Amino acid sequence: MGKEQKNVCAQHKGAERGQGACPVAKKCGGCQLQGIPYRKQLDQKHALVKQCVGDVRVLPPIGMTDPLHYRNKVHAAFGRDRKGNVICGVYESGTHRIVPVESCMIEDARADAIIATIRGLLKSFKIKTYDEDSGYGLLRHVMVRTAHATGEILVVLVLASPILPAKNNFVKALRAAHPEITSIVLNVNDRRTSMVLGERNILLYGKGYIEDELCGNRYRISPNSFYQVNAVQTAVLYKKAMEYAHLTGKETVIDAYCGIGTIGMTAAAHAKQVIGVELNPSAVKDAIANAKRNGCKNISFYNEDAGNYMRKLASVPARERVPVDVVFMDPPRRGSSETFLEAVTLLAPRRVVYISCDPHTLGRDLDYMRKHGYRIMECQPVDMFPYTDDIENVVLLEKTKTERKRTKNGLEIERTGKRNESERKSGTSKSGNRRHQEELRKARAAAGSRRPEASKPKSGKRTH
Ligand code: SAH
């Protein structure tokens, strides 16, 4: 057993006994469940999910055998301490003060080492860190992405200007210290914003993205695209999602909120055709390239708001459109929009597989679907984020029989849930709509968006 492996085991054992292994746990706030044995963490998450989703069979969460160093995307904010020394790390809970972090028990250790090297190089290259108050300085953040299966590593230097003095020598020095780096990108973020990444990327070395393998396909992942942060558990999650979808090769499938197309491409091998819908243009670009790379010919992508896309599809008379058999939906933390959910009920797929990282908004959306003709069959929590209070869920929804009959000819859908007199007359649920809107508003305010790919790691809460 190597030294590193021994350390990991000791750390894991300590964590298992509930000993907080992290010296900055309190200030950082990113690991809300520090000090709680892993088994107990899973039990807590199980209880939370059960509470949020109501009367649904919730299986025990699938946890990790080694729940440490799983994060394949690591951000570090750069700045100076009171003495003027360069520091890098995470923002202290509720502030914009940087808590220096040398190594983190949930982050990829290679990424942490690269960030430490960059910090050490700044002085000799006379690179100033950016000051949020004065707007003076250059280096704002470093983001490192590591690919679990291929080992590729992408370093993104987020600068306030497109010009990095002595950039060739800087790249040379960084690569000399870390030959494992496969690509380096300069990202320009010249706005006074809480977003980590700007839109412009300048290639300094390598391909400008990493490639990773997942469930038999290979994916390219650009700096601004979303990719699940825990590769080991993503494979577990997708396997369960495919099991729930029960594909036979004949189905038309929608992969809504598809990111770089990972769920859709995993499903495509077992379906007739797949349609992916995604709002982020960079992710759609990756998705199209990924489909080509994997020789996946029965998938197409739309760069659009998922709600708008579904509404347009649902407005085509049923006789004129191809029936949708299965919908995968994997919305951001704020959950789905009512436009989207309503369109799903109009399109009336036999099965909906809902993947969510926020049990609260999941519970709210399931409530809507339950009232509009879907039965919630089962919920499987998958622990993608050990030591934090986040939990991913995959849920199977099936169309109730009465509903399917009514929608065969494209007739209006009638809900199975109870409605009051005025709702029955108007044919809508105003209270339901109001409640949904109100909850959406609250959830947005409380959580922000789940995966604003480039948004600053809010103090105490990471963005996935
Ligand atoms: N299914 C993917 C990505 C899930 S993350 C995966 O497993 O990797 C959620 C995705 O929803 C992000 O890629 C985000 O850009 C996208 N998104 C956010 N709001 C959206 C909207 N209104 N319409 C479509 N996509 C949206």
Side-chain angles (χ1 to χ4, degrees):
M1 193 188 283
K3 196 173 153 206
E4 208 169 273
Q5 184 68 31
K6 255 188 204 160
N7 285 342
V8 167
C9 289
Q11 224 177 358
H12 187 184
K13 271 188 195 144
E16 269 305 296
R17 285 194 297 271
Q19 294 162 353
C22 176
V24 294
K26 268 212 174 113
K27 277 193 168 173
C28 161
C31 291
Q32 300 85 359
L33 307 185
Q34 270 269 339
I36 300 176
Y38 189 53
R39 267 283 122 217
K40 225 170 167 188
Q41 293 178 29
L42 293 177
D43 291 344
Q44 279 187 16
K45 293 184 187 193
H46 194 196
L48 171 76
V49 176
K50 282 200 261 188
Q51 195 189 329
C52 292
V53 298
D55 191 15
V56 176
R57 193 160 97 97
V58 181
L59 302 176
I62 304 174
M64 296 187 79
T65 325
D66 175 8
L68 299 174
H69 300 289
Y70 58 82
R71 278 193 70 92
N72 58 23
K73 186 175 80 171
V74 175
H75 280 140
F78 275 73
R80 286 179 183 272
D81 66 11
R82 282 204 198 105
K83 291 182 193 147
N85 301 315
V86 175
I87 51 170
C88 63
V90 296
Y91 289 106
E92 185 176 340
S93 291
T95 74
H96 266 204
R97 273 195 301 275
I98 295 170
V99 181
V101 175
E102 275 296 324
S103 69
C104 166
M105 62 186 271
I106 64 169
E107 291 174 353
D108 187 297
R110 290 168 302 174
D112 285 346
I114 290 168
I115 289 168
T117 300
I118 292 173
R119 195 192 56 212
L121 286 175
L122 295 187
K123 201 170 175 190
S124 51
F125 280 87
K126 297 194 175 65
I127 298 171
K128 294 257 183 308
T129 57
Y130 179 79
D131 183 292
E132 278 196 336
D133 298 322
S134 64
Y136 177 75
L138 191 58
L139 180 66
R140 299 181 72 151
H141 299 271
V142 171
M143 182 177 94
V144 180
R145 276 191 138 156
T146 51
H148 181 73
T150 62
E152 293 186 1
I153 299 180
L154 168 71
V155 177
V156 183
L157 306 166
V158 185
L159 305 188
S161 138
I163 296 152
L164 173 63
K167 70 169 193 252
N168 292 344
N169 284 341
F170 184 82
V171 166
K172 222 167 152 187
L174 185 56
R175 284 185 54 216
H178 295 280
E180 67 274 23
I181 294 174
T182 53
S183 186
I184 304 174
V185 165
L186 188 168
N187 176 275
V188 188
N189 187 352
D190 51 10
R191 285 173 304 171
R192 293 213 170 179
T193 166
S194 64
M195 303 293 274
V196 170
L197 297 186
E199 276 161 25
R200 190 169 159 209
N201 290 310
I202 301 168
L203 183 63
L204 299 184
Y205 167 69
K207 299 182 284 199
Y209 53 83
I210 49 165
E211 287 184 63
D212 202 5
E213 277 161 20
L214 184 62
C215 300
N217 285 319
R218 197 171 171 102
Y219 297 102
R220 120 182 172 177
I221 308 141
S222 298
N224 302 63
S225 300
F226 174 83
Y227 188 60
Q228 300 282 1
V229 297
N230 184 335
V232 173
Q233 292 296 83
T234 303
V236 173
L237 180 79
Y238 285 8
K239 190 165 167 249
K240 194 72 196 177
M242 294 307 138
E243 190 186 310
Y244 281 164
H246 207 75
L247 299 171
T248 63
K250 294 188 188 131
E251 295 82 3
T252 294
V253 173
I254 290 182
D255 175 12
Y257 310 91
C258 69
I260 60 167
T262 41
I263 294 176
M265 263 172 263
T266 309
H270 314 283
K272 186 171 153 208
Q273 57 169 337
V274 180
I275 298 162
V277 192
E278 163 63 46
L279 195 58
N280 177 348
S282 143
V284 174
K285 226 168 137 192
D286 283 350
I288 293 167
N290 287 333
K292 218 172 178 182
R293 172 91 170 68
N294 293 312
C296 191
K297 295 206 170 79
N298 58 343
I299 191 162
S300 43
F301 294 98
Y302 292 85
N303 185 192
E304 208 174 330
D305 167 78
N308 277 351
Y309 177 84
M310 296 292 274
R311 192 184 50 198
K312 278 196 266 173
L313 199 62
S315 69
V316 176
R319 255 181 257 116
E320 291 169 28
R321 67 171 184 246
V322 183
V324 174
D325 302 295
V326 175
V327 169
F328 289 98
M329 55 184 288
D330 184 7
R333 182 179 279 280
R334 63 179 174 271
S336 207
S337 65
E338 186 156 325
T339 308
F340 181 91
L341 296 176
E342 189 183 34
V344 171
T345 61
L346 291 169
L347 291 167
R350 270 200 306 273
R351 269 184 283 278
V352 176
V353 180
Y354 192 144
I355 295 168
S356 153
C357 77
D358 187 322
H360 299 95
T361 54
L362 171 69
R364 179 203 64 204
D365 291 350
L366 292 182
D367 222 22
Y368 181 98
M369 295 303 284
R370 197 185 274 119
K371 287 180 187 146
H372 292 77
Y374 278 82
R375 188 170 297 139
I376 321 299
M377 307 303 289
E378 191 175 276
C379 172
Q380 173 65 71
V382 177
D383 193 22
M384 302 272 272
F385 319 107
Y387 292 91
T388 79
D389 58 9
D390 286 321
I391 178 84
E392 194 88 5
N393 286 284
V394 52
V395 183
L396 171 63
L397 292 81
E398 279 184 3
K399 186 106 198 72
T400 52
K401 284 211 179 83
T402 45
E403 292 291 320
R404 216 184 303 165
K405 245 189 230 161
R406 285 182 187 278
T407 53
K408 243 186 185 168
N409 302 323
L411 297 173
E412 270 300 300
I413 285 176
E414 193 156 302
R415 305 178 316 174
T416 46
K418 279 186 190 164
R419 290 185 288 178
N420 65 32
E421 194 51 35
S422 72
E423 283 171 9
R424 243 195 307 275
K425 274 186 196 146
S426 71
T428 61
S429 161
K430 284 193 185 138
S431 58
N433 287 351
R434 256 203 312 273
R435 189 177 148 231
H436 192 88
Q437 292 304 336
E438 177 58 17
E439 295 214 348
L440 266 181
R441 196 188 57 71
K442 269 196 217 150
R444 278 196 199 113
S449 104
R450 165 205 192 183
R451 293 152 166 174
E453 237 341 271
S455 98
K456 180 180 282 183
K458 299 236 167 51
S459 38
K461 194 87 187 163
R462 283 166 193 281
T463 52
H464 306 312

